[in-house]
Amino acid sequence: MLGFKRLTRSSIVASQFSKLIDKNLQSYVLPLSQHFLAQRTSNRFLDIYQLGNKAAIEKERARLTDEMNRGYFADIKEHKKHGGKIAMANKIIIPAMVARKFPSIEVNFSDGKAFKLPIVSGGNGDSVDADKLDIPKASLLCLTFRASSQSMVDSWSLPFVDAFRDSKNVNLFQVSFIDSWLLCRNPIKWLLLRAMKKSKDDEKKGSLKRQTVYSFGDHYYFRKELKLLNLVTGYIFLLDKFGRIRWQGFGAATPEELSSLLSCTSLLLEEN
């Protein structure tokens, strides 16, 4: 959610990585103070890495190319065109037989407790006691990668809470993604969670609680699987009790899209 520019980070990482995998690495000029260390580590690193991980190198090259082709400024430019509405939400519920599963992701409450989303039937082996997490018939996951998308997810989550405040079979999680290397390191991570706990309380109306959780680290392949390209917009997913994506929205809610979300949620509550 915090606004860090991926373009700069990707460029730096790409530069460093290309130097490591360059075939002419031994001719790369290092400061005099690092020559001795380089002689002892560079060849060994490359030998071990290249023996069994050529596919991993190619995979990382493809990732770097992908990230450099689409960075922060590309997201901002696209956002100016459509205001975060990269696509319209589903009008009807996605049939269970063709619905794809939401990828599992580890998140933290602001008190530091970790568990995995989505919470699905059959248990998920989380560090939080699974018996304390009721399996919902419907879960709304609101994903934010930058602070600028907070108002977008609020346009979905606040009316959702009002509509299903008395339902015990609905969960609502707002997931804030933090990919800064510094903020993901202990103890900075725990200090950040502590600050979040003091500054923001989860909102509860009736039985339904809007819970804010945080996911730290590299989310590239998670985003790739869900095809989440623009990181300055918000993403909304409605899941059934098996963790299948039954509805999806983008950006800020329109009245028609919000009506569709509430209708599809009601249908999930009626499913066996």
Side-chain angles (χ1 to χ4, degrees):
M1 182 178 70
L2 304 178
F4 295 96
K5 299 187 177 181
R6 289 183 292 126
L7 181 63
T8 302
R9 186 186 71 249
S10 298
S11 300
I12 295 173
V13 173
S15 175
Q16 294 174 341
F17 187 82
S18 62
K19 291 174 184 176
L20 287 174
I21 61 178
D22 194 330
K23 293 181 180 179
N24 297 319
L25 179 65
Q26 293 181 355
S27 63
Y28 176 64
V29 178
L30 292 171
L32 290 176
S33 61
Q34 298 181 21
H35 271 298
F36 177 72
L37 180 61
Q39 289 174 356
R40 296 187 59 185
T41 60
S42 62
N43 289 337
R44 179 175 177 272
F45 173 80
L46 282 179
D47 289 342
I48 295 174
Y49 199 67
Q50 289 179 348
L51 280 175
N53 294 279
K54 290 183 179 180
I57 293 177
E58 293 303 322
K59 185 178 181 181
E60 188 66 13
R61 278 178 173 166
R63 168 182 174 163
L64 292 172
T65 301
D66 182 33
E67 289 195 321
M68 291 185 70
N69 286 338
R70 184 179 182 87
Y72 177 81
F73 293 109
D75 288 351
I76 291 296
K77 183 178 180 180
E78 187 177 85
H79 184 272
K80 289 180 179 179
K81 291 181 179 179
H82 50 57
K85 183 64 71 177
I86 60 177
M88 298 304 294
N90 296 111
K91 293 183 178 181
I92 60 175
I93 196 167
I94 300 172
M97 292 186 66
V98 298
R100 56 190 173 125
K101 288 218 171 179
F102 191 90
S104 177
I105 185 169
E106 183 172 313
V107 297
N108 293 92
F109 285 118
S110 58
D111 62 4
K113 291 182 180 178
F115 68 105
K116 289 183 180 180
L117 287 175
I119 301 170
V120 297
S121 179
N124 52 12
D126 302 326
S127 54
V128 172
D129 188 354
D131 293 334
K132 296 179 182 180
L133 297 173
D134 295 330
I135 306 301
K137 285 189 173 182
S139 297
L140 190 69
L141 302 187
C142 305
L143 312 185
T144 62
F145 294 90
R146 301 292 182 264
S148 58
S149 60
Q150 181 61 53
S151 61
M152 300 180 194
V153 300
D154 286 345
S155 70
W156 300 96
S157 62
L158 295 179
F160 188 87
V161 170
D162 288 335
F164 296 100
R165 66 173 66 195
D166 296 323
S167 176
K168 297 181 180 180
N169 292 313
V170 178
N171 273 352
L172 170 57
F173 287 97
Q174 178 179 307
V175 186
S176 296
F177 291 85
I178 301 172
D179 55 10
S180 165
W181 179 87
L182 177 61
L183 296 179
C184 292
R185 304 273 75 80
N186 294 326
I188 303 298
K189 172 182 174 180
W190 302 114
L191 291 175
L192 177 62
L193 288 173
R194 195 175 189 182
M196 294 295 186
K197 185 177 182 180
K198 292 181 179 179
S199 65
K200 188 171 185 178
D201 294 327
D202 291 332
E203 180 179 354
K204 183 174 183 179
K205 292 185 177 181
S207 299
L208 179 59
K209 184 178 183 181
R210 184 172 69 156
Q211 303 177 85
T212 302
V213 294
Y214 306 89
S215 182
F216 292 85
D218 181 16
H219 306 106
Y220 175 78
Y221 294 106
F222 170 82
R223 292 188 281 109
K224 195 77 171 175
E225 187 170 349
L226 290 175
K227 299 181 180 179
L228 309 181
L229 300 180
N230 192 309
L231 300 192
V232 296
T233 192
Y235 297 89
I236 315 298
F237 294 90
L238 178 65
L239 313 181
D240 61 20
K241 62 182 179 181
F242 299 106
R244 297 173 298 199
I245 301 172
R246 306 296 298 275
W247 182 95
Q248 182 175 0
F250 311 87
T254 66
E256 295 78 13
E257 290 177 321
L258 191 56
S259 176
S260 173
L261 168 62
L262 301 182
S263 176
C264 290
T265 304
S266 296
L267 289 176
L268 285 184
L269 294 178
E270 294 173 2
E271 289 186 353
N272 295 326

